[in-house]
Amino acid sequence: MADLYYDYIAPWWGLLSPNMQDGALLILYLLPCLIVGFLVVRGLRPYALVRAMLWQFRWSNLVFVLLIAVSVALGVGLIAQERGLRKGTARAAEKFDLVIAAPGSEVTNVLATVYLHPADMPLLDGALYNRIATHEQVDFAAPIAFGDSFKGSPVVGTTVTFIDHLSGSLDEGKRFGSYFEAVIGADVPLSLGEHFTPAHGHGDGADAKAHEGSDFIATGRMKKTGSPWDQAILVPVEAVWMVHGLGNGHGLDEPEKLGPPFDPSTFPGTPSILVHAKQLWANYALKNAFTDKESMAYFPGAVLSQLHSVLGDVREVMSVMAVVTQILVTAGVLTGLVILTKLFSRRLALLRAIGAPRRFLFSIVWNFAAVLILAGSALGILLGFATTRVISGIVSARTNILVEVILSWPEFHLVAAFVSLTICLAMIPAFLALRRPVVADLRG
């Protein structure tokens, strides 16, 4: 069997595009129920009786369809939501090729530097920054200094080059051109030209009076990035140093200079440095060059992959939960169908008494069950999509990471497998309905 697959099937399967392979799998999942349906209904026309039964017991049928829909929605939602969250976190980190920080936890640094979660981190000194910025393979090295906030929005000190790298052209306004100008993220509740004073720290522990007299003005707004930086306020790194009484990093002879190069002897320090290499391969050389006892160079994408591997384990658990749920629901559906057939057992007994073929009665019960299962599954897909959209909106609002959920092939494969299995097993209630005593059912 294995030789048959590798010799004949695998070569042709590899020629198909991913979408064609997924479509073929979908058809394969549905094939059993299509074959069963063809064999059960072939040569018969039970549809008028099935429609009458569906309408007569519409409220009971509706409850049954809703139960199936909720189950399918749960399975669809679990898989789609996990995938949307994984893609959203990856999208937020895609602009951060290589980050250099003080030795410590890479995960903590990623959360602080990429996702702007508050964290206390050691500072890198001016000599190290100068070595990084002047390296022959470095296109630019942008300091990222955080620790202040304004009404929940993190205030981050950096350079104009970093803004260009993160957002490209601005959505409106202009980049900062002096120490106390600021570029705001797409979702920051400030208007251009509006003044603000940052607080020291974040959340409830922020000291709103620590930087009194440091008046900033919003001069530009970045385009939406779908990351936590949409809530950030970017100011010159010199301004962050100055409001903390640390100087401007350029020396006394350059009191108004903005951006690199900085004076290594007066450089106050920065928690993280974003490095953009001139060539892709140089990132690996730079990582090796600046990973030592003084600094830690890492790829945020690699750290995120490690976190996603943990999420992958969670995804496996969620997938198992979805399958177990579907199995339990399948058992419940079959039990429910047996109960539902009792509602019209007298009508089936009457048809048997007047000589209706047993295969015709079997097809009535099976078609009735198939319609309920198909309707519940279709409604479940719609309900699952709507639910995940709502949950994604909540997650995006809480994390500032754009989580977009689009139903994909895995969800349709899950539903197709559920439909096929349940419709095939629906033959069991149909068989049981024919085994009921005619006389007893006629007496009601």
Side-chain angles (χ1 to χ4, degrees):
M1 192 68 178
D3 292 338
L4 176 65
Y5 172 78
Y6 287 110
D7 292 341
Y8 297 100
I9 300 177
W12 288 100
W13 185 258
L15 295 175
L16 300 178
S17 67
N19 281 334
M20 293 180 67
Q21 290 179 359
D22 286 320
L25 282 175
L26 183 67
I27 295 173
L28 187 63
Y29 285 132
L30 291 173
L31 191 59
C33 72
L34 295 175
I35 294 173
V36 169
F38 173 76
L39 295 176
V40 170
V41 182
R42 182 172 58 90
L44 301 174
R45 299 180 63 84
Y47 309 114
L49 286 173
V50 172
R51 283 196 299 270
M53 290 161 54
L54 289 170
W55 177 252
Q56 184 172 2
F57 304 105
R58 54 188 176 278
W59 299 116
S60 300
N61 296 336
L62 178 60
V63 172
F64 197 73
V65 167
L66 290 176
L67 290 175
I68 296 175
V70 170
S71 166
V72 171
L74 179 61
V76 167
L78 285 174
I79 298 175
Q81 192 65 54
E82 185 276 336
R83 186 180 61 251
L85 183 60
R86 186 157 32 90
K87 288 184 176 181
T89 53
R91 187 189 308 111
E94 65 183 3
K95 292 290 187 178
F96 293 79
D97 303 325
L98 178 67
V99 173
I100 300 177
S105 169
E106 292 181 351
V107 173
T108 299
N109 197 273
V110 164
L111 292 176
T113 304
V114 178
Y115 300 104
L116 299 178
H117 284 216
D120 293 327
M121 295 170 52
L123 303 180
L124 301 175
D125 61 28
L128 178 60
Y129 174 82
N130 188 60
R131 281 174 47 211
I132 296 170
T134 57
H135 194 283
E136 61 181 0
Q137 292 298 335
V138 172
D139 183 23
F140 70 84
I144 300 176
F146 37 79
D148 294 337
S149 64
F150 176 73
K151 293 184 178 180
S153 295
V155 176
V156 182
T158 187
T159 63
V160 170
T161 306
F162 175 76
I163 296 175
D164 292 338
H165 176 70
L166 185 65
S167 174
S169 60
L170 298 183
D171 190 49
E172 56 179 331
K174 64 182 183 68
R175 300 166 181 80
F176 48 69
S178 63
Y179 287 164
F180 291 95
E181 293 181 345
V183 174
I184 58 179
D187 297 331
V188 174
L190 283 172
S191 302
L192 296 193
E194 190 172 349
H195 293 256
F196 67 94
T197 299
H200 182 69
H202 295 265
D204 296 335
D207 184 358
K209 298 182 180 180
H211 303 316
E212 282 187 343
S214 300
D215 186 51
F216 288 81
I217 181 172
T219 61
R221 186 184 298 276
M222 291 191 298
K223 293 180 178 178
K224 196 167 184 65
T225 64
S227 74
W229 291 86
D230 290 334
Q231 283 286 346
I233 299 173
L234 279 63
V235 301
V237 67
E238 293 91 343
V240 172
W241 293 330
M242 290 176 67
V243 298
H244 290 88
L246 302 175
N248 66 0
H250 293 293
L252 298 177
D253 56 335
E254 295 180 299
E256 297 182 0
K257 180 173 171 43
L258 194 67
F262 298 99
D263 180 3
S265 63
T266 60
F267 186 89
T270 181
S272 298
I273 301 171
L274 171 68
V275 177
H276 184 68
K278 293 178 180 178
Q279 301 180 66
L280 180 61
W281 64 264
N283 283 309
Y284 297 92
L286 291 169
K287 180 180 183 298
N288 292 330
F290 293 103
T291 299
D292 51 35
K293 64 179 181 180
E294 294 183 353
S295 60
M296 170 185 70
Y298 66 91
F299 300 125
V303 177
L304 198 59
S305 295
Q306 297 175 10
L307 294 176
H308 283 169
S309 69
V310 176
L311 286 177
D313 295 337
V314 174
R315 179 178 55 185
E316 293 299 324
V317 173
M318 294 169 72
S319 298
V320 170
M321 288 176 58
V323 171
V324 170
T325 300
Q326 300 307 313
I327 292 173
L328 293 176
V329 169
T330 300
V333 166
L334 296 178
T335 304
L337 287 173
V338 171
I339 296 173
L340 280 177
T341 55
K342 292 182 179 180
L343 294 176
F344 45 83
S345 59
R346 189 173 184 180
R347 292 158 183 80
L348 293 177
L350 181 60
L351 289 172
R352 290 173 62 186
I354 62 177
R358 294 175 66 88
R359 183 166 167 263
F360 180 73
L361 300 177
F362 181 90
S363 69
I364 291 175
V365 178
W366 185 87
N367 274 278
F368 173 78
V371 170
L372 296 182
I373 293 168
L374 288 171
S377 299
L379 181 60
I381 292 175
L382 297 176
L383 183 61
F385 177 69
T387 302
T388 51
R389 290 293 297 269
V390 173
I391 295 175
S392 296
I394 296 173
V395 172
S396 297
R398 294 291 181 89
T399 63
N400 296 321
I401 297 173
L402 180 61
V403 178
E404 295 178 320
V405 175
I406 299 175
L407 295 186
S408 189
W409 287 109
E411 292 80 64
F412 291 110
H413 289 164
L414 176 67
V415 175
F418 168 75
V419 167
S420 192
L421 175 64
T422 311
I423 286 181
C424 289
L425 292 177
M427 290 188 293
I428 296 175
F431 276 122
L432 294 177
L434 297 182
R435 293 176 60 87
R436 295 178 62 85
V438 177
V439 176
D441 285 343
L442 284 175
R443 291 174 177 174

